[in-house]
């Protein structure tokens, strides 16, 4: 049936079925606090996944974004403390530019020297983490030293409910930022020549070059966008949890790539969508949430997430082989 060939529709059905099953096993899943927490958990991983989606559609891979996110937030927050800066917009601009610069470094190595993207981004991640920890240090910046303006920025809710016991529960307005970024990436991919060049390069770089797409511009766009979104997400993450830890995001690369593949993106490039990626992120976060509700140990959570990544990649590879024959 045509319906079942639509990966977004299939993912949507799986999510609904999983929600019903998880809710039946543990009714706490449907608690308002848990649902708000579930949506909030989508924001950071979702913004990072949108950057990784661009790189994967182009046929590349980027595993440096967790380190780039750490660099963006740690350097920016340190700078705010040193200069006693009290504002919101500039820190996010600076963190985004730090990410964009590191993304451009990846793009330069991948395009100019024809290096393998996985090796390049692994190296960048190691260099960035090493420099951050070696030069600036390993000390966390706690809420008592954290700029108050950033804390206040992320406190606002778009929807608040007063519960029977008098306490309140709210959905953070940061969700609107995630949806805005997703809409922007969707418009670029679907309605611009730049977006078409990303799909064309992922389908066949040689063919894309022959029809006039600039592989150089496309390569720089996808890696710079991935780095910029990672830097922005890192700053947003520290603002939301009121903590800046240089060891954050360890293992995030596997989770984000798993979410993107779950959302229907091809590991060989040429296909993938924003809606599918957002669904993949939601599914992955929901699985993690349900494991926490069932009090499954962290080590076993890693086993489940690794299994999901392997199974999703296997289905993706099988689907791509079938479509190319």
């Amino acid at each position: 049936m045509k319906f079942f060939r639509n990966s977004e529709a299939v993912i949507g059905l799986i999510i609904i079925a999983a929600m019903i099953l998880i809710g039946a096993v543990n009714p706490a899943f449907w608690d308002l606090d848990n649902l708000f927490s579930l949506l909030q958990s989508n924001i950071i991983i979702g913004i990072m996944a949108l950057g990784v989606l661009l790189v994967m559609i182009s046929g590349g891979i980027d595993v440096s974004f967790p380190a780039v996110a750490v660099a963006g937030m740690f350097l920016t927050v340190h700078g705010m403390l040193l200069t006693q800066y009290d504002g919101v917009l500039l820190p996010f601009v600076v963190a985004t530019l730090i990410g964009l610069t590191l993304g451009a470094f990846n793009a330069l190595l991948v395009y100019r020297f024809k290096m393998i993207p996985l090796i390049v981004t692994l190296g960048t991640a190691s260099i960035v983490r090493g420099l951050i920890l070696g030069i600036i240090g390993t000390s966390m910046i706690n809420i008592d030293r954290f700029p108050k303006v950033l804390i206040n920025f992320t406190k606002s809710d778009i929807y608040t409910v007063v519960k029977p016991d008098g306490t309140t529960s709210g959905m953070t307005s940061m969700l609107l930022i995630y949806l805005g970024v997703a809409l922007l990436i969707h418009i670029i991919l679907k309605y611009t020549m730049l977006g078409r060049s990303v799909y064309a390069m992922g389908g066949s770089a040689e063919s894309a070059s022959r029809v006039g797409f600039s592989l150089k511009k496309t390569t720089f766009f996808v890696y710079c966008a991935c780095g910029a979104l990672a830097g922005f997400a890192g700053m947003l993450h520290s603002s939301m949890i009121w903590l800046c830890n240089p060891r954050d995001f360890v293992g995030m690369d596997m989770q984000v790539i798993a979410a993107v593949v779950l959302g229907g993106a091809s590991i060989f490039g040429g296909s993938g969508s924003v809606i599918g990626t957002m669904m993949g992120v939601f599914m992955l976060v929901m699985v993690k949430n349900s494991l926490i509700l069932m009090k499954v140990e962290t080590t076993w959570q890693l086993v489940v997430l690794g299994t999901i990544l392997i199974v999703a990649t296997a289905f993706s590879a099988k689907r791509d082989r079938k479509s190319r024959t």
Side-chain angles (χ1 to χ4, degrees), residues 51-74:
V52 173
L53 170 70
L54 290 172
V55 177
M56 288 185 68
I57 291 176
S58 74
I61 189 74
D62 188 340
V63 295
S64 67
F65 62 88
V68 172
V70 167
M73 75 172 184
F74 206 57

Side-chain angles (χ1 to χ4, degrees), residues 18-307:
M19 290 177 75
I20 294 172
L21 179 63
I22 294 170
V25 173
N26 191 340
F29 175 80
W30 295 111
D31 286 352
L32 211 51
D33 282 336
N34 185 58
L35 293 178
F36 285 155
S37 174
L38 187 62
L39 289 174
Q40 184 171 321
S41 300
N42 277 254
I43 296 172
I44 303 303
I45 187 173
I47 292 174
M48 289 183 177
L50 291 170
V52 173
L53 170 70
L54 290 172
V55 177
M56 288 185 68
I57 291 176
S58 74
I61 189 74
D62 188 340
V63 295
S64 67
F65 62 88
V68 172
V70 167
M73 75 172 184
F74 206 57
L75 293 174
T76 304
V77 173
H78 263 278
M80 290 184 74
L81 294 178
L82 285 173
T83 59
Q84 296 295 306
Y85 179 79
D86 189 23
V88 174
L89 181 60
L90 187 58
F92 282 96
V93 172
V94 171
T96 303
L97 288 177
I98 290 171
L100 188 147
T101 304
L102 293 172
F105 178 69
N106 284 333
L108 177 68
L109 295 179
V110 170
Y111 179 78
R112 182 70 179 82
F113 300 103
K114 309 299 179 191
M115 294 176 69
I116 300 170
L118 177 63
I119 305 301
V120 168
T121 53
L122 272 174
T124 302
S126 179
I127 292 169
V128 171
R129 280 200 184 274
L131 287 175
I132 292 290
L133 297 176
I135 297 175
I136 301 182
T138 59
S139 300
M140 292 187 296
I141 300 172
N142 293 309
I143 186 171
D144 59 325
R145 294 181 59 210
F146 211 78
K148 298 290 184 295
V149 65
L150 287 179
I151 294 176
N152 294 331
F153 172 66
T154 53
K155 274 183 175 177
S156 59
D157 294 330
I158 51 175
Y159 182 67
T160 306
V161 175
V162 180
K163 295 185 286 189
D165 60 1
T167 59
T168 59
S169 180
M171 182 64 241
T172 175
S173 58
M174 298 302 104
L175 186 66
L176 296 177
I177 294 178
Y178 173 38
L179 296 177
V181 173
L183 179 62
L184 177 64
I185 301 296
H186 175 73
I187 290 172
I188 291 174
L189 284 176
K190 198 168 178 64
Y191 299 107
T192 68
M193 290 301 291
L194 185 58
R196 289 171 190 167
S197 73
V198 176
Y199 281 106
M201 194 170 96
S204 171
E206 186 177 343
S207 300
S209 180
R210 284 180 180 174
V211 298
F213 288 121
S214 169
L215 300 186
K216 179 181 179 181
K217 289 180 181 175
T218 308
T219 302
F220 270 86
F221 166 68
V222 296
Y223 284 97
C224 287
C226 186
L229 288 174
F232 179 83
M235 192 66 220
L236 190 61
H237 167 79
S238 64
S239 306
M240 291 175 69
I241 65 171
W242 309 340
L243 182 71
C244 188
N245 185 355
R247 300 188 187 279
D248 272 354
F249 303 125
V250 173
M252 182 70 88
D253 46 355
M254 184 190 75
Q255 296 179 35
V256 171
I257 292 171
V260 176
V261 174
L262 270 175
S266 169
I267 57 174
F268 300 114
S271 68
S273 70
V274 168
I275 295 174
T277 297
M278 293 176 77
M279 287 182 169
V281 169
F282 184 83
M283 188 187 296
L284 194 77
V285 171
M286 185 174 64
V287 169
K288 285 182 65 181
N289 177 271
S290 63
L291 292 174
I292 293 170
L293 287 177
M294 289 187 284
K295 299 180 180 177
V296 175
E297 292 181 9
T298 306
T299 49
W300 289 107
Q301 291 179 29
L302 291 174
V303 173
V304 173
L305 292 176
T307 304

